[in-house]
Amino acid sequence: MRDYRVPKNIGGFNPQKLYTDILKSDTEDRWYMQKHKDKTLIVNYGALYIVPGKFPLAEGFIEEREVIKALIPEWDNGVPCVDTKSEMALTNKTVVKVFRRGEEDIFFDKMYFKYFTDDTFEYRMSDKGKSLYVAYKGELIAAILGINVSK
């Protein structure tokens, strides 16, 4: 018999919350996974999560794709950025977190941050500022796509 228990905190993540959201998600929400070394890669249309460990709940439940590991960004190629610790509500009721790279503010949907267990993370951005790289204790754990906000 499989053990389906999922830890509440591992490597900066709350995988229990992530898997609960996947179970409760609408059928049009697409989630995919791939086993990669000692991690489980989980991706949807806006974020890639690199979750420590292997979880039986993902196997056979979330559709597997063999190309997800190609989406893992190179941390060293990222540009340093800062979490401004501020949030902003957009007109469509989306709440975004604001990150700053140089003088430019870049926005990321707050919902993609709810699976993290604390705020002791390091951040970098892709060269063009289209995605945010998140590391916990020096290890990359997520890549989140930015939101275009007209000013």
Side-chain angles (χ1 to χ4, degrees), residues 53-67:
K54 294 182 178 14
F55 300 104
L57 182 59
E59 296 171 20
F61 175 72
I62 304 171
E63 186 176 338
E64 289 198 47
R65 294 284 168 102
E66 293 300 318
V67 297

Side-chain angles (χ1 to χ4, degrees), residues 89-102:
L90 303 179
T91 55
N92 65 358
K93 298 185 181 177
T94 300
V95 177
V96 295
K97 288 179 64 74
V98 182
F99 287 80
R100 183 164 292 133
R101 183 186 67 192

Side-chain angles (χ1 to χ4, degrees), residues 2 13 16 28 36 53 55 69 73 80 119 127 139:
R2 281 187 173 181
F13 271 106
Q16 195 173 75
E28 64 268 7
H36 179 62
F55 300 104
K69 66 182 175 189
D119 61 355
D127 193 34
E139 190 168 347

